[in-house]
Amino acid sequence: MALKAAYIPFLLRFKRPGGTSRGVLTEKQTYFIKIYDDSDISRFGLGEAALFKGLSADDRPDYETKLADVCRDIEAYITHPERLREWPSIRFGMESALLDWQGGCSRILYPSAFTRGEGGIHINGLIWMGTEDFMMEQIREKLSHGFRCIKLKIGAIDFDTELSLLKAIRNEFSPQEVELRVDANGAFSPDEALFKLDALSRLSIHSIEQPIRQGAWEQMAELCRKTPLPIALDEELIGVFDPKEKGSLLESIAPQYIILKPALAGGFSGSSEWIRFARERQIGWWVTSALESNIGLNAIAQWCYTLSNLMPQGLGTGQLFTNNIPSPLHIQRDSLWWNISGRWDVSSFVSLV
């Protein structure tokens, strides 16, 4: 039985624009990888090559050419996955589709209490950048739904305004009641970063993601040595594929945390390698999605659950899109669950080859 594969472009549309320090997102291009054989076209493994334009290391003009090549010779790439080391989103999609195929094409990649509907994953509530009123509206909504860990994107509006938002939350909720995380997406300049970190630390912030732009190892290392609050590396991990370079980065910068996005970090294999190196150096970590559809989010959530990390994870992005793939994933209070009575609707993929 020879395996075959095909890829399907798909444009995800946001319910409402998502503001980041890089701009406002209204849509996101992604690609699905389908693995099948001719004996029964209704049975197929499905993965998501979750390219993040402007951020993924494999955001290249020949991306679809590479996807087509992988699909034409899928068995060779399955046998030699290292050939996709520098194509992290494609590797993530191929690994997910293969696990789905091997697991019976049921969208269960990692059987566990999670996929039996017996255990959920604690997640943070994500607050997008925008006006003060818009951000406060989101905060109130998340808190009313039961979230006890809030992550705010900062760096796009005036820093004093962002501080006032955080102060408003802290005036109402203690650190024991609500954990606050912030994500600067590299928006701070190295000269101002320490001053801003000090101001944030006075509000009992749990951590800050990527305070300065990636690639400035010496400056980031100095920040991690002097910081009054924990720093989590995010974009810094993107494009680092060689195991020796991964170890060197963690040794040189010595962050308090790293954040794993499988579609950006080389799939489950590349992300697991990062986690192993972090554990060896007593560096904390957690997992987040990178605006995948429910296909990619499902794969990440199932893998994440097996890691037994009790920190809130960044997996609350499944409700962002108007045209997401219907799935059993759902959020109850501050946790992501698999609803065993829920259903996937992947019928539109049956005839696509």
Side-chain angles (χ1 to χ4, degrees):
M1 178 182 66
L3 288 181
K4 296 184 178 181
Y7 77 90
I8 304 103
F10 194 86
L11 190 65
L12 292 162
R13 296 185 176 86
F14 282 76
K15 291 179 180 177
R16 58 185 182 185
T20 75
S21 60
R22 297 187 189 88
V24 177
L25 303 174
T26 58
E27 58 188 26
K28 179 180 181 289
Q29 179 70 58
T30 196
Y31 300 85
F32 297 116
I33 295 178
K34 173 181 172 180
I35 290 180
Y36 64 100
D37 72 77
D38 285 336
S39 64
D40 182 359
I41 62 171
S42 67
R43 293 185 69 257
F44 51 87
L46 201 57
E48 183 172 358
L51 176 69
F52 199 127
K53 288 186 177 293
L55 187 60
S56 296
D58 49 3
D59 180 14
R60 296 163 39 170
D62 57 344
Y63 186 84
E64 286 202 46
T65 301
K66 185 65 178 183
L67 256 180
D69 178 62
V70 170
C71 291
R72 270 193 306 269
D73 203 8
I74 188 64
E75 290 193 336
Y77 280 96
I78 290 172
T79 304
H80 298 286
E82 69 278 2
R83 292 169 59 181
L84 290 174
R85 181 181 291 276
E86 296 188 9
W87 298 86
S89 66
I90 298 178
R91 189 170 189 175
F92 168 64
M94 187 190 75
E95 285 179 341
S96 301
L98 181 62
L99 286 166
D100 188 17
W101 170 260
Q102 293 171 336
C105 307
S106 61
R107 316 311 154 218
I108 295 180
L109 288 65
Y110 292 93
S112 69
F114 178 73
T115 55
R116 294 193 298 272
E118 299 168 359
I121 302 170
H122 288 297
I123 61 175
N124 61 242
L126 179 61
I127 308 302
W128 290 94
M129 291 176 177
T131 65
E132 182 176 1
D133 289 344
F134 173 61
M135 293 181 74
M136 187 57 76
E137 174 193 342
Q138 295 177 78
I139 291 166
R140 291 195 186 99
E141 179 183 355
K142 294 297 182 185
L143 294 176
S144 70
H145 288 171
F147 281 91
R148 288 298 172 259
C149 177
I150 300 293
K151 171 183 167 180
L152 288 87
K153 296 273 190 180
I154 63 173
I157 61 176
D158 179 71
F159 183 65
D160 289 337
T161 300
E162 292 169 340
L163 276 181
S164 70
L165 285 169
L166 293 165
K167 286 177 182 176
I169 301 172
R170 269 293 163 259
N171 287 338
E172 191 169 347
F173 299 96
S174 70
Q176 291 71 38
E177 293 173 305
V178 174
E179 179 179 291
L180 292 177
R181 299 174 178 177
V182 295
D183 182 2
N185 286 129
F188 299 166
S189 72
D191 293 339
E192 68 183 0
L194 197 57
F195 166 79
K196 291 187 173 181
L197 295 183
D198 182 64
L200 290 166
S201 70
R202 298 176 190 179
L203 299 173
S204 299
I205 303 298
H206 171 271
S207 56
I208 181 169
E209 297 179 29
Q210 202 69 38
I212 64 174
R213 290 284 183 182
Q214 68 194 87
W217 285 20
E218 290 185 11
Q219 292 167 317
M220 185 68 86
E222 183 179 6
L223 270 183
C224 288
R225 285 194 301 270
K226 296 179 177 179
T227 184
L229 78 160
I231 289 175
L233 300 188
D234 183 359
E235 288 92 339
E236 202 72 60
L237 311 186
I238 296 173
V240 181
F241 305 117
D242 182 80
K244 290 183 179 179
E245 190 178 359
K246 290 180 179 181
S248 178
L249 183 150
L250 296 181
E251 289 283 353
S252 299
I253 298 179
Q256 286 75 35
Y257 294 101
I258 61 172
I259 297 172
L260 288 314
K261 292 183 170 78
L264 301 177
F268 301 126
S269 50
S271 299
S272 296
E273 192 171 61
W274 275 114
I275 291 173
R276 176 166 60 84
F277 289 152
R279 283 173 169 162
E280 290 171 355
R281 293 160 177 81
Q282 297 184 314
I283 295 170
W285 55 272
W286 67 85
V287 175
T288 79
S289 52
L291 303 181
E292 293 85 0
S293 76
N294 280 334
I295 297 297
L297 177 62
N298 171 62
I300 296 169
Q302 291 187 32
W303 171 72
C304 178
Y305 189 86
T306 68
L307 303 176
S308 301
N309 186 331
L310 299 181
M311 296 178 67
Q313 310 294 301
L315 302 177
T317 58
Q319 298 176 323
L320 295 177
F321 308 112
T322 61
N323 59 338
N324 211 337
I325 309 302
S327 80
L329 296 173
H330 75 287
I331 294 175
Q332 183 176 330
R333 290 185 61 82
D334 65 345
S335 296
L336 181 67
W337 290 81
W338 173 287
N339 181 0
I340 58 173
S341 62
R343 293 289 181 268
W344 286 98
D345 183 359
V346 294
S347 55
S348 59
F349 297 106
V350 172
S351 61
L352 294 174
V353 295

